[in-house]
Structure formats: structure tokens, C-alpha cells
């Protein structure tokens, strides 16, 4: 081989899987540009090289099993294809995610939608300043108000299309009015589909999507969009060919999703949602009677109006007469004219069966609605009745029974339930925390004892509060009781009282005040956790209670706050310490017979100490043998010694005589 030819050849070396259970190397030779590219195997390369050098080529590889060899080669080919595919995916990280890849313009595929967007864009831009880019369908009151308007349009179509379809209400005088109302309802439908529905936020993968482009795409990909489009199709144009007939507007009834959405949203914002449920159930009942009245008029027209006693006679208002028949027929009141023909008998039997089924369902639904609305009150009555029955069985005094009844009644009137914790326990921790913070955090932050503590510790304490209602005159705490909790006044007032019969009112505490907080931090070893005053309810008092055990369980997780509370507790006790010591001193003065003993003058101790000591020794010897029952003279001697001990030094007087 010439050196020039060798230099013209570019050889790339790759190591590959073995073929025919042998490891070998593939070479790829790139022929110069004047020829075509030709990848060849190592055997072919050696054959060409040896042919130029005059060396005979090596023998071909030995194939033991042709089927196995072909199968292995096919597997290797598929593995190489898969490797190439994975290599492309590694190079282009968005190759397997069509949602992340740059979107293709919708105008290339959806020319009609692109044209509609172009036409409606000025209107959408104007509405952005009013409603914003997107709308929260759950909390935005403007959207709920709009749904109420769409619901009115839907009910107009639902009631009047069926009535106009069955009754002869399309006259030359009424047609312009019907046409005007139809146009207004259609405008509301179109505005809902163009302005409001594409702006509704939605949840995807736990995230709230607020992008206008994505909300519009989500709406257009939904089944509701298809129903809205069909409900807005202008079949009314067929009036030109077939005349003014309401049957061409039956597609407007496909807007029913808006009615159910409005019903759900209205229930979520109403304080007493059962009122709307009752109204909605009554509406279902009236609409069923409306349909039956329409069917009855059609049946009468089919039989011939006024032909028999059973059909509509043709007198008076057709709708009212037929509706009256529907009410008596479906509710099975009786007193109706007997059907004569087979058609009339069949229609009346169908009416009876339908009435039994429909009205039983509606009555059951009404019972459930009313039962759900009064469930809390039923539970309150049941609890109160069971408690009263228990007290009567155990012969509880009437005074106690009356107080228990008063507590039940006031608790129900004040908070609408017996235990607020039962309702809050069903909520997630985040919601319970938010409610507790809104109600009580401001009050907790005003307590001197908790100022400077961790805010999260205060939040944890709020979740441990328990609500208790005290009746007028009930003692919240009594002097000398062990303090195991602190109190926060939520409503009402309490009085700190004292005196022989607790008739003296020292102070009146009202809503927002706190008492009993010091006893939470005092130890029971020195009696520091004892109550120092009597506190009773002045009227009905609603108090929040925090127990000492709950506070200590919380402080375990907040060591810094625990130090702050301990330091403030000591300061508060020191502030109250001098007053307590002074009161104890006054108490001792009142009990002492002669008051405090003054010290012995130094001059008297210097000159009279020896004489007095000798005198006392004589008295001591005289009275040492005094029996248990001393004579009057002995008793007088002891009194004299006691008087001397008050004015002489204690070291002079023998302890036996003191």
C-alpha cells in the first residue's frame, strides 16, 4: 500500500459487543471525498489490506448455529437503537416531556380558535381591569354574584321553554317580548363562556394555576366548554324557515352545570346553608309539578280540549288549571274526574306512580335537610334530657337541677354548642391554629407574665385552652385551694371577694383580664401554689382555662421561654412578698397579748444582773417542787417571773419559767 493512500484514509476505532461469541474490533474507513463513505468490518479491512500486500485473506468466522447467530445479531441491533435513543434524550432533556417543550403556535392547528381569540382580545383586556387576570371561583363574591345571574337565565330557559313548547303562548303580541328575553339570556350565556369561565383558577398537582393562558386552555379542554358551546349554538336562526318555536332553544338547557356550581358556592358562604337547601328542594318539587302540568295540557290537546270530563275544559287560565290538576294528581289528593279512554287511564296511572316515587324522594330529601339543620339542637336536647333524667333518678336537690338546666340553656344560647372543642378537633391543625390566633393571641400578648416569650409557644398554648362557662355566684377559685390552672376572661366578669361572708368586693375583672397565672409557676413544696383570694362569677362568665400540666408540656420544647417565665415569676413573687410579710406581721401583733417585747436596757443589765439572777434562783428553788396543780401563791409567783422576763434579759430568766 502506498503511503499517500494510507494518509488519505481516516480510521476511527470503536470497541463493540462481540459477534458469534468472539470479541473483535470494528473499524470504519472513510474513503476520500471523491468516493462515497463506506463503513466496513475488521475482516473486510484486513482482507483489503492483505490483498494489497499480497497476503491471503483469513477464513470467514465459523457459525455453529445460524438461528442463534441471527437472533443475537438482532438483539445487538435493538440494543444499539435503544442506546442511540437514550443518547438523544440525554442531549435534549425535554424530549420526553411534551408539556415543557416550547409550545407550537395554536394558530397552525386551531385556526378558528385563534381567530376567535383575536376578535375577543380587546374585550378580555378591558375585563382585566375589572376582574383581574384570573378569578378564584371559591372565594370571589363577584363571581358568585355573576353565577346567580346566569342561574336566573338558566331558570328562565328551563321554565319558559317548556311552557311555551306546550301552551299556546306564541302570539303576535307576545313574540317580540319573548324574543327580547331570549336575546338577553343568550347574551348572559355568551358573557359567561367568554369572560368568566376562561378566568377560573384551578388546581393541578397541588398548585393553584393563575396563568390566563393555562386557565383558558384548561376550560377549553373540559367537557363543560363543549356543553357551553352547544348550549350557545344559534338554532334560533331556524325561526326564519320554520317560524317562532321554542323547541329550537332546547339546547339552552345544557347550561345546567352553572346552576349546580352556583348552588355549591352559595352553600359555602351562607351561615345557614340549610335554608338554601330547603328552597332548592321546594324548587325541584314545583318544577316537577310544572312538567306534569305541561304534559297534562298536551294530553288534553291530543284527546281534544273539553271533549271529556278528564281533560282540560278550556275555561280560565290554561296553565293554572293544568297546574292545579298536577298538584292534585301527583300528591294523590283525590277528587279528580275519572279517566274514560285507555289513553287517559294510562296517563293517570303513570301520574300516580310518578307522584309516589318523586314525592317520596323529595320528602326524604327534605327530611335529611331539616335533620342536618337541627342536628346540633337535637344533640343539645338529648344531652340535657339525659342529664335531667340522671339527676331525678339520683334524687338531686331541685336547686342543683335548676342550676344545671340554666347552664345548659345559657351555653347553647351563647355559643350554639355544648363543647367548642368537638367542632375544632375535626379541623386540620393549621385551621385550628389560625382560629385560635385570631381569637386569643392579642389577649395573651397583653399578659405581663408571657411578654418576651416565644410567639410559637404562645400559639401552642392557645391550642390547649378550654372554654368553661360559670353561672352567677359560682366560685371560680377559693382561698387556700391548690392552683392548677390560670384563667382568661372571654366574656362576662368576675369579682375578687373577701370578708367573713365574702361580701367585700376588692376588684371586678372584665373581658380580657387574666388571673391565677402566678400559681402556674410556683412549687407546692412551700405552699406557693395555694390560692390567696376568692374569685366568683359576677353574672354569666365565659372563661378560658390553661392547666399547669399543659403549660409544662409546652415549656419542655422552649427552654429559653421557660427561663424567662421562671425569672418573671420570681420578680412577681418578690413584688408581692413585702405586702405578704407585712400582713403576717400584723396578724402576729393582733394575736400577741402585750405586743412586741422591748429589749432590756444596758444599764439595768449591768447593775441588776447579779441581784436579779440570785432572786430568780431562789424563786426557782422554791417552785421546783411545785406539783402539777399549783396553789394560788405558786401561780402568782409564776406570773411575777413571767412579768420580770418581759423586762429583763432573756438570758437572766430561767427557760423553765418563760
Amino acid at each position: 500500500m502506498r503511503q499517500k493512500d494510507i494518509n488519505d484514509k481516516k480510521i476511527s476505532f470503536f470497541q463493540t459487543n462481540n459477534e458469534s461469541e468472539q470479541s473483535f474490533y470494528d473499524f470504519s474507513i472513510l474513503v476520500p471525498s471523491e468516493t462515497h463513505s463506506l463503513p466496513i468490518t475488521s475482516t473486510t479491512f484486513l482482507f483489503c489490506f492483505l490483498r494489497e500486500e499480497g497476503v491471503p485473506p483469513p477464513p470467514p468466522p465459523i457459525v455453529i448455529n445460524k438461528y442463534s447467530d441471527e437472533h443475537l445479531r438482532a438483539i445487538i441491533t435493538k440494543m444499539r437503537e435503544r442506546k442511540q435513543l437514550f443518547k438523544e434524550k440525554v442531549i435534549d432533556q425535554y424530549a420526553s416531556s411534551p408539556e415543557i417543550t416550547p409550545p407550537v403556535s395554536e394558530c397552525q392547528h386551531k385556526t378558528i380558535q385563534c381567530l376567535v381569540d383575536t376578535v375577543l382580545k380587546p374585550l378580555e383586556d378591558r375585563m382585566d381591569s375589572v376582574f383581574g387576570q384570573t378569578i378564584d371561583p371559591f372565594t370571589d363574591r363577584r363571581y358568585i354574584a355573576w353565577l346567580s345571574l346566569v342561574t336566573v337565565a338558566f331558570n328562565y330557559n328551563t321554565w319558559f321553554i317548556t311552557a311555551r313548547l306546550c301552551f299556546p303562548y306564541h302570539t303576535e303580541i307576545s313574540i317580540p317580548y319573548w324574543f327580547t328575553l331570549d336575546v338577553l339570556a343568550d347574551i348572559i350565556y355568551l358573557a359567561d363562556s367568554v369572560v368568566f369561565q376562561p378566568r377560573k383558577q384551578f388546581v393541578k398537582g397541588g398548585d393553584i394555576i393563575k396563568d390566563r393562558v393555562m386557565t383558558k386552555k384548561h376550560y377549553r379542554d373540559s367537557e363543560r366548554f363543549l356543553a357551553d358551546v352547544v348550549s350557545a349554538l344559534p338554532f334560533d336562526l331556524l325561526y326564519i324557515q320554520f317560524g317562532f318555536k321554542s323547541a329550537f332553544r332546547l339546547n339552552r338547557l345544557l347550561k345546567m352545570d352553572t346552576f349546580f356550581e352556583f348552588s355549591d358556592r352559595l352553600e359555602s358562604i351562607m351561615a345557614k346553608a340549610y335554608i338554601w337547601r330547603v328552597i332548592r328542594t321546594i324548587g325541584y318539587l314545583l318544577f316537577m309539578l310544572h312538567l306534569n302540568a305541561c304534559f297534562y295540557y298536551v294530553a288534553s290537546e291530543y284527546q281534544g280540549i273539553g271533549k271529556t270530563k278528564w281533560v282540560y275544559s278550556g275555561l280560565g287560565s290554561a296553565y293554572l288549571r293544568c297546574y292545579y290538576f298536577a298538584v292534585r294528581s301527583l300528591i294523590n289528593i283525590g277528587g279528580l274526574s275519572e279517566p274514560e279512554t285507555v289513553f287517559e287511564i294510562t296517563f293517570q296511572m303513570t301520574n300516580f306512580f310518578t307522584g309516589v316515587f318523586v314525592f317520596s324522594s323529595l320528602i326524604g330529601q327534605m327530611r335529611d335537610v331539616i335533620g342536618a339543620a337541627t342536628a346540633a339542637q337535637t344533640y343539645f336536647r338529648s344531652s340535657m334530657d339525659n342529664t335531667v333524667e340522671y339527676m331525678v333518678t339520683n334524687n338531686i336537690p331541685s336547686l342543683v337541677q335548676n342550676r344545671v338546666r340554666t347552664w345548659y340553656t345559657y351555653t347553647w344560647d351563647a355559643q350554639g354548642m355544648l363543647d367548642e372543642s368537638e367542632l375544632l378537633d375535626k379541623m386540620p391543625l393549621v385551621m385550628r391554629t389560625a382560629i385560635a390566633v385570631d381569637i386569643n393571641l392579642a389577649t395573651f400578648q397583653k399578659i405581663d407574665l408571657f411578654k418576651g416569650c416565644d410567639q410559637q409557644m404562645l400559639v401552642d398554648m392557645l391550642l390547649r385552652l378550654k372554654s368553661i362557662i360559670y353561672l352567677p355566684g359560682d366560685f371560680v377559685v377559693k382561698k387556700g385551694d391548690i392552683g392548677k390552672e390560670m384563667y382568661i376572661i372571654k366574656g362576662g366578669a368576675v369579682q375578687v371577694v373577701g370578708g367573713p361572708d365574702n361580701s367585700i368586693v376588692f376588684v371586678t375583672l372584665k373581658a380580657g383580664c387574666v388571673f391565677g397565672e402566678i400559681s402556674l409557676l410556683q412549687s407546692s413544696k412551700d405552699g406557693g401554689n395555694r390560692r390567696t383570694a376568692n374569685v366568683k362569677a359576677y353574672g354569666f362568665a365565659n372563661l378560658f382555662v390553661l392547666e399547669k400540666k399543659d403549660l409544662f408540656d409546652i415549656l419542655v420544647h422552649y427552654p429559653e421561654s421557660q427561663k424567662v417565665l421562671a425569672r418573671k415569676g420570681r420578680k412577681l413573687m418578690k413584688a408581692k412578698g413585702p405586702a405578704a410579710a407585712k400582713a403576717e406581721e400584723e396578724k402576729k401583733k393582733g394575736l400577741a397579748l402585750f405586743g412586741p417585747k422591748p429589749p432590756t436596757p444596758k444599764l439595768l443589765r449591768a447593775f441588776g444582773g447579779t441581784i436579779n439572777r440570785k432572786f430568780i434562783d431562789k424563786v426557782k428553788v422554791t417552785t421546783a417542787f411545785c406539783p402539777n396543780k399549783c396553789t394560788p401563791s405558786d401561780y402568782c409567783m409564776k406570773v411575777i417571773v413571767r412579768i420580770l422576763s418581759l423586762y429583763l434579759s432573756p438570758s437572766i430568766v430561767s427557760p423553765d419559767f418563760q
Side-chain angles (χ1 to χ4, degrees):
M1 178 181 292
R2 297 188 302 274
Q3 185 67 28
K4 182 177 181 302
D5 295 336
I6 295 177
N7 293 335
D8 290 340
K9 302 179 187 299
K10 297 181 180 180
I11 304 174
S12 58
F13 178 76
F14 299 97
Q15 184 177 4
T16 61
N17 296 329
N18 61 2
E19 296 181 359
S20 300
E21 299 180 356
Q22 294 182 2
S23 298
F24 61 90
Y25 295 92
D26 284 348
F27 294 85
S28 177
I29 301 177
L30 184 62
V31 185
S33 59
E34 59 270 9
T35 62
H36 61 279
S37 298
L38 178 65
I40 58 177
T41 61
S42 59
T43 305
T44 307
F45 174 76
L46 291 176
F47 174 76
C48 296
F49 183 82
L50 294 177
R51 185 179 62 180
E52 293 182 359
E53 297 295 332
V55 181
I62 300 175
V63 179
I64 300 176
N65 190 324
K66 183 178 180 181
Y67 174 78
S68 300
D69 184 73
E70 293 177 353
H71 191 64
L72 290 174
R73 290 178 183 275
I75 293 176
I76 293 173
T77 302
K78 292 181 179 180
M79 293 180 66
R80 288 177 177 174
E81 293 176 355
R82 188 177 65 174
K83 182 183 71 173
Q84 185 65 24
L85 178 62
F86 288 159
K87 184 186 294 185
E88 293 176 356
K89 290 182 178 181
V90 170
I91 296 174
D92 184 7
Q93 57 180 342
Y94 302 113
S96 60
S97 181
E99 294 182 358
I100 305 180
T101 51
V104 181
S105 176
E106 295 184 359
C107 295
Q108 300 176 5
H109 306 287
K110 301 180 180 179
T111 308
I112 298 178
Q113 288 188 6
C114 186
L115 179 62
V116 172
D117 291 341
T118 304
V119 173
L120 297 178
K121 191 175 187 308
L123 177 61
E124 293 179 351
D125 294 340
R126 289 183 180 180
M127 292 295 103
D128 287 345
S129 60
V130 180
F131 302 106
Q133 289 288 331
T134 57
I135 298 175
D136 186 357
F138 296 97
T139 60
D140 197 330
R141 298 297 180 91
R142 297 172 299 175
Y143 177 69
I144 299 176
W146 171 256
L147 285 180
S148 65
L149 184 61
V150 180
T151 302
V152 171
F154 170 75
N155 279 278
Y156 162 77
N157 288 321
T158 303
W159 287 74
F160 286 97
I161 286 177
T162 53
R164 290 157 51 187
L165 184 63
C166 301
F167 291 90
Y169 287 153
H170 287 168
T171 61
E172 293 182 359
I173 299 176
S174 62
I175 284 178
Y177 298 102
W178 291 126
F179 185 78
T180 303
L181 294 175
D182 292 346
V183 171
L184 290 176
D186 294 344
I187 292 174
I188 294 175
Y189 274 29
L190 290 175
D192 182 64
S193 301
V194 172
V195 178
F196 288 90
Q197 296 302 324
R199 298 174 186 268
K200 286 173 52 178
Q201 301 173 6
F202 66 97
V203 179
K204 181 179 180 181
D207 297 331
I208 300 177
I209 305 302
K210 299 181 180 180
D211 184 26
R212 166 73 72 77
V213 177
M214 298 187 67
T215 56
K216 184 185 297 184
K217 184 178 183 301
H218 178 264
Y219 169 63
R220 291 180 176 177
D221 293 341
S222 63
E223 296 181 357
R224 182 167 182 174
F225 174 73
L226 180 61
D228 291 346
V229 170
V230 176
S231 66
L233 291 178
F235 291 115
D236 310 64
L237 297 177
L238 297 176
Y239 291 166
I240 302 173
Q241 180 67 25
F242 301 98
F244 193 80
K245 296 181 179 180
S246 61
F248 299 134
R249 294 183 57 82
L250 287 175
N251 60 318
R252 303 297 191 270
L253 304 182
L254 296 176
K255 196 71 173 176
M256 64 181 68
D257 287 344
T258 303
F259 170 75
F260 293 113
E261 182 184 6
F262 168 72
S263 179
D264 294 339
R265 299 294 179 267
L266 187 62
E267 288 183 7
S268 63
I269 65 173
M270 290 183 64
K272 297 181 179 180
Y274 68 89
I275 297 177
W276 167 249
R277 298 190 188 108
V278 172
I279 296 174
R280 183 181 58 193
T281 304
I282 295 174
Y284 292 158
L285 172 60
L286 297 178
F287 184 69
M288 294 300 299
L289 295 173
H290 166 79
L291 291 180
N292 190 263
C294 294
F295 293 149
Y296 175 68
Y297 183 84
V298 172
S300 299
E301 196 174 33
Y302 174 77
Q303 287 287 99
I305 295 177
K307 187 176 181 180
T308 63
K309 294 182 179 180
W310 182 82
V311 299
Y312 167 58
S313 62
L315 302 176
S317 174
Y319 183 79
L320 290 179
R321 296 279 183 174
C322 294
Y323 202 92
Y324 176 73
F325 172 85
V327 171
R328 298 188 65 179
S329 177
L330 287 182
I331 303 180
N332 297 323
I333 295 178
L336 298 172
S337 300
E338 292 295 331
E340 299 178 1
T341 64
V342 176
F343 175 80
E344 294 174 356
I345 294 173
T346 304
F347 185 90
Q348 191 62 40
M349 290 179 60
T350 306
N351 258 359
F352 288 150
F353 284 117
T354 305
V356 171
F357 174 74
V358 172
F359 276 86
S360 61
S361 301
L362 293 178
I363 290 174
Q365 185 176 0
M366 186 72 72
R367 181 202 61 189
D368 295 339
V369 170
I370 297 176
T374 59
Q377 189 172 6
T378 303
Y379 173 73
F380 157 71
R381 292 295 179 186
S382 176
S383 300
M384 184 174 178
D385 293 343
N386 293 335
T387 305
V388 171
E389 182 180 357
Y390 172 80
M391 292 188 296
V392 171
T393 303
N394 292 274
N395 298 322
I396 304 298
S398 299
L399 180 62
V400 178
Q401 293 187 25
N402 292 333
R403 293 183 63 82
V404 171
R405 291 190 181 94
T406 304
W407 181 87
Y408 268 101
T409 304
Y410 178 79
T411 303
W412 173 257
D413 293 339
Q415 57 191 26
M417 61 188 69
L418 297 179
D419 189 2
E420 293 179 350
S421 60
E422 294 181 359
L423 178 62
L424 298 177
D425 289 343
K426 300 178 182 178
M427 296 183 181
L429 179 60
V430 177
M431 294 184 180
R432 281 186 288 149
T433 303
I435 294 175
V437 167
D438 292 338
I439 297 176
N440 302 316
L441 183 60
T443 303
F444 252 74
Q445 291 175 342
K446 296 178 182 179
I447 302 175
D448 294 336
L449 183 63
F450 298 129
K451 288 182 179 179
C453 295
D454 194 324
Q455 292 294 320
Q456 185 59 40
M457 188 202 75
L458 299 182
V459 173
D460 292 344
M461 292 172 62
L462 295 178
L463 297 176
R464 304 293 184 96
L465 294 179
K466 298 177 182 178
S467 178
I468 298 179
I469 293 179
Y470 288 89
L471 301 182
D474 284 351
F475 278 90
V476 182
V477 297
K478 289 186 177 181
K479 186 176 181 179
D481 290 347
I482 297 176
K484 298 180 181 179
E485 57 275 316
M486 64 170 288
Y487 299 89
I488 303 173
I489 304 176
K490 179 183 178 183
V494 298
Q495 293 179 336
V496 181
V497 297
D501 54 351
N502 294 319
S503 60
I504 302 175
V505 178
F506 297 110
V507 66
T508 300
L509 305 177
K510 297 184 178 181
C513 296
V514 181
F515 61 94
E517 69 275 13
I518 300 300
S519 63
L520 293 179
L521 303 176
Q522 297 305 310
S523 174
S524 60
K525 295 180 180 179
D526 55 354
N529 61 342
R530 295 279 181 175
R531 301 294 188 186
T532 59
N534 296 320
V535 180
K536 70 176 183 178
Y538 180 70
F540 292 94
N542 192 349
L543 309 179
F544 282 122
V545 181
L546 177 65
E547 297 182 356
K548 179 183 290 189
K549 178 180 179 300
D550 295 333
L551 177 62
F552 287 168
D553 292 342
I554 295 173
L555 290 178
V556 171
H557 306 285
Y558 301 95
E560 296 297 329
S561 298
Q562 186 176 6
K563 295 178 182 178
V564 172
L565 289 179
R567 184 170 61 254
K568 288 190 174 184
R570 288 192 296 268
K571 290 182 179 179
L572 291 175
M573 288 303 298
K574 288 180 180 179
K576 293 185 178 182
K582 185 177 180 181
E584 186 68 22
E585 183 179 355
E586 294 294 334
K587 179 179 178 181
K588 291 182 179 179
K589 287 183 179 180
L591 296 177
L593 180 61
F594 297 100
K597 179 177 63 178
T600 304
K602 294 182 180 180
L603 184 61
L604 183 60
R605 289 201 305 268
F607 291 96
T610 306
I611 300 174
N612 292 334
R613 185 179 297 109
K614 293 180 180 179
F615 176 75
I616 295 301
D617 290 341
K618 291 181 180 180
V619 174
K620 181 178 179 181
V621 172
T622 305
T623 58
F625 302 97
C626 179
N628 293 334
K629 296 183 180 180
C630 300
T631 61
S633 59
D634 296 336
Y635 179 74
C636 293
M637 181 61 68
K638 288 187 176 182
V639 172
I640 293 173
V641 173
R642 179 60 179 169
I643 294 174
L644 291 175
S645 66
L646 293 175
Y647 293 95
L648 299 179
S649 175
S651 59
I652 299 175
V653 182
S654 175
D656 297 334
F657 293 92
Q658 293 182 3

